[in-house]
Amino acid sequence: CCKKKNSLYWCGGADHSWRDLFCRSCQSCFEIKSKKDAKTVDKMFHFNNMTCGSYRKWCEESFPGRRRGKDFIVFVDREEHGDAWDSSVGWKVEVAQIASALPQMTA
């Protein structure tokens, strides 16, 4: 993403699958997914295997020529993590650029 100030907008929901956040400046999209815990997120990155939403919707949003931006996935784990230096509670967040996507077939 271009990191320009005031350019990210929330537009999540069923009408905007694969586009929870959208950068109006560079047209990058961010899909936010929550997972059970940090271990689950780490496993998905280790094995490079993430089951996350509709492949058809991703293709519709990401089809070349529709926009010029990049696609990113944002994982937030639902397990609270304490912070040692100020005793506040937080959640681990991982962000990665999506290089490609493949459909998953189920029987």
Side-chain angles (χ1 to χ4, degrees):
C1 188
C2 65
K3 301 179 186 174
K4 287 190 180 172
K5 189 175 181 179
N6 299 319
S7 64
L8 281 180
Y9 286 81
W10 172 260
C11 57
D15 292 341
H16 293 45
S17 181
W18 286 102
R19 200 168 71 173
D20 290 326
L21 291 173
F22 180 73
C23 178
R24 288 192 177 177
S25 181
C26 70
Q27 297 184 352
S28 291
C29 291
F30 298 80
E31 176 62 13
I32 301 172
K33 298 291 185 184
S34 67
K35 297 298 175 186
K36 181 176 85 169
D37 54 31
K39 187 177 179 180
T40 302
V41 174
D42 291 342
K43 259 171 90 172
M44 289 188 314
F45 277 102
H46 177 75
F47 292 107
N48 196 25
N49 185 359
M50 302 164 195
T51 304
C52 306
S54 166
Y55 177 72
R56 180 181 58 81
K57 293 275 188 178
W58 183 81
C59 288
E60 288 172 3
E61 294 283 343
S62 303
F63 188 80
R66 298 204 52 169
R67 61 179 173 77
R68 67 180 188 277
K70 298 176 182 175
D71 293 306
F72 296 90
I73 187 89
V74 179
F75 288 108
V76 180
D77 77 68
R78 295 188 292 265
E79 183 177 64
E80 292 180 358
H81 299 276
D83 192 337
W85 63 275
D86 72 358
S87 70
S88 65
V89 174
W91 291 264
K92 184 178 177 186
V93 175
E94 296 282 348
V95 180
Q97 185 176 346
I98 299 172
S100 62
L102 296 171
Q104 181 179 25
M105 307 304 265
T106 56

